[in-house]
Amino acid sequence: MQKSPLEVRRAFGVLFVGVAIAVGSASILSEISFEHKEPIFYYGIIWFGSFAITFGIILARFRTLLSSIKGRMKNSVSWPPAVKAVNGLCWAAPFATIGITPHLYQYLILFGIGLGNTSTFFFMKKFSNLVNLEQIIVGAISLAAIPIAIMLDTSLISNQTTAVITSRIMIAVAYGAGGIFALVKK
């Protein structure tokens, strides 16, 4: 059964808020772990656990969430192959670049999330006639956070740890803002 556009928007709102909660809590917990000089494998446990707990709770409470999300994602199946390739590169290229320039990873993650969400917004609008404003909100905030993270890292603080935590918090803020918008938009 086809879900209503409002139901799908709300599903993405819950998904985005879930990402914000998971990233925000994992960022704070991993920073605490770093400050206490805990073993490195704690980071994996913290990040995996944050996402598993958050989405375990969400999926248990909102059982129709996945079908609504899957339905909206199927819109890209009909896009021309070149458009799918460009959209995939917008998502993947910044993340793949981390392997080449790992010292820039906090900026590349923001760039990948920003560029990926922004390109998906425009392609959904043009090729699927869908206007997913929550996605452009996530993209715009993520892209706008890059200069803030660079400024914090280079001029004001000169502390990469602070720049990394700021970047992670900005990702949580971006997804939180997009998610809240999707949940309250009529």
Side-chain angles (χ1 to χ4, degrees):
M1 180 164 107
Q2 183 99 13
K3 304 284 184 184
S4 74
L6 182 61
E7 198 174 7
V8 173
R9 180 177 307 254
R10 295 255 162 87
F12 267 81
V14 171
L15 173 70
F16 283 7
V17 168
V19 170
I21 291 167
V23 169
S25 61
S27 297
I28 292 166
L29 291 172
S30 62
E31 182 61 22
I32 291 168
S33 181
F34 175 78
E35 292 298 322
H36 287 95
K37 298 178 181 15
E38 299 294 345
I40 193 89
F41 70 88
Y42 280 24
Y43 295 102
I45 294 168
I46 289 169
W47 281 90
F48 178 78
S50 294
F51 276 89
I53 291 168
T54 301
F55 285 100
I57 292 168
I58 287 172
L59 294 176
R61 185 155 160 79
F62 302 98
R63 296 195 187 277
T64 61
L65 183 76
L66 287 178
S67 65
S68 296
I69 291 168
K70 192 164 81 173
R72 181 156 129 189
M73 289 181 161
K74 282 185 178 179
N75 286 299
S76 63
V77 171
S78 62
W79 295 354
V83 172
K84 288 185 219 178
V86 169
N87 191 54
L89 281 173
C90 287
W91 279 101
F95 292 101
T97 307
I98 292 171
I100 301 166
T101 56
H103 61 285
L104 298 176
Y105 83 95
Q106 69 267 26
Y107 314 123
L108 291 168
I109 291 171
L110 283 166
F111 188 56
I113 291 168
L115 189 61
N117 277 289
T118 301
S119 70
T120 301
F121 168 80
F122 286 114
F123 290 145
M124 280 282 195
K125 186 175 178 181
K126 180 168 176 69
F127 295 103
S128 301
N129 294 319
L130 294 172
V131 180
N132 305 320
L133 293 174
E134 61 277 6
Q135 206 150 24
I136 195 68
I137 290 169
V138 173
I141 292 172
S142 297
L143 292 172
I146 295 170
I148 295 168
I150 291 171
M151 183 180 70
L152 287 173
D153 191 20
T154 58
S155 63
L156 294 178
I157 299 168
S158 284
N159 182 343
Q160 188 177 21
T161 303
T162 304
V164 169
I165 191 80
T166 301
S167 296
R168 291 175 182 168
I169 296 299
M170 290 305 296
I171 292 167
V173 167
Y175 274 103
I180 290 168
F181 174 84
L183 290 171
V184 299
K185 173 96 167 110
K186 300 283 183 213

